[in-house]
Amino acid sequence: MELSILIARIISITYLAFGLGLLFSSKFYKREIPKLVENPALLIYGGFMATVIGYLMVYYHNIWENNWTTLITVIGWIGLIKGITLLVFPESFKVYKSTIFHEDYLLKVLVPLTFIVGLVLGYYGFVIS
C-alpha cells in the first residue's frame, strides 16, 4: 500500500500542475505541444520515457483490485502501451496535432480530465493515507 500511496502522490502533483498549466497558460500549450509531435527526437525520447515508466508501474504495481489502486495500474498500462506505440509507430501521433489540439479541446476535455485524476489520486495519496 505504501507504493500505491507514493505513486498516487507523484501522479497527483504532476497531473494537477499540468492541469493548472493548461488552464492558466493555454495559449502556450496550444502553441508548443503540437511542436512535440513534429520533433522526431522528442517523440523517440517520449516513447522511451513512457515505456520505462509504464513498465516500472506495471511491474511493481500490477494490482487489479476493486479499489482506487487499480487506477494507478491502468495509468501504468496506458503509459506502457503509449510508449511502445510511440516507438513502433511514431507517425501515428501526428494525428493528435489536428485532433486533440484543434479548437478548445484542451480546455474542454484535457483540463477537467487531468484535474479529476489528479484530485482523486491526491485524495487517496494525501488525505486517506
Side-chain angles (χ1 to χ4, degrees), residues 22-106:
L22 289 172
L23 189 63
F24 293 117
S25 303
S26 61
K27 289 181 183 178
F28 172 81
Y29 282 103
K30 278 178 144 179
R31 182 181 69 241
E32 297 300 322
I33 289 179
K35 293 178 185 177
L36 296 174
V37 178
E38 295 172 357
N39 188 329
L42 290 176
L43 280 178
I44 293 168
Y45 178 73
F48 278 116
M49 294 304 297
T51 302
V52 169
I53 293 170
Y55 176 76
L56 289 172
M57 287 176 65
V58 166
Y59 184 80
Y60 287 106
H61 194 281
N62 199 13
I63 299 171
W64 295 96
E65 296 179 359
N66 195 17
N67 60 30
W68 65 274
T69 58
T70 301
L71 179 59
I72 293 171
T73 302
V74 169
I75 291 171
W77 276 104
I78 289 170
L80 178 60
I81 292 166
K82 175 187 172 188
I84 292 169
T85 304
L86 266 169
L87 294 173
V88 176
F89 305 108
E91 294 289 324
S92 66
F93 281 81
K94 290 190 176 186
V95 173
Y96 285 119
K97 184 178 176 186
S98 60
T99 56
I100 289 181
F101 304 109
H102 183 64
E103 296 181 15
D104 289 331
Y105 185 85
L106 279 175

Side-chain angles (χ1 to χ4, degrees), residues 4 11 15 21 33 36 41 52 62 74 78 89 111 113 117 123 128:
S4 298
I11 293 173
Y15 276 41
I33 289 179
L36 296 174
V52 169
N62 199 13
V74 169
I78 289 170
F89 305 108
V111 171
L113 185 63
V117 173
Y123 175 75
I128 296 296

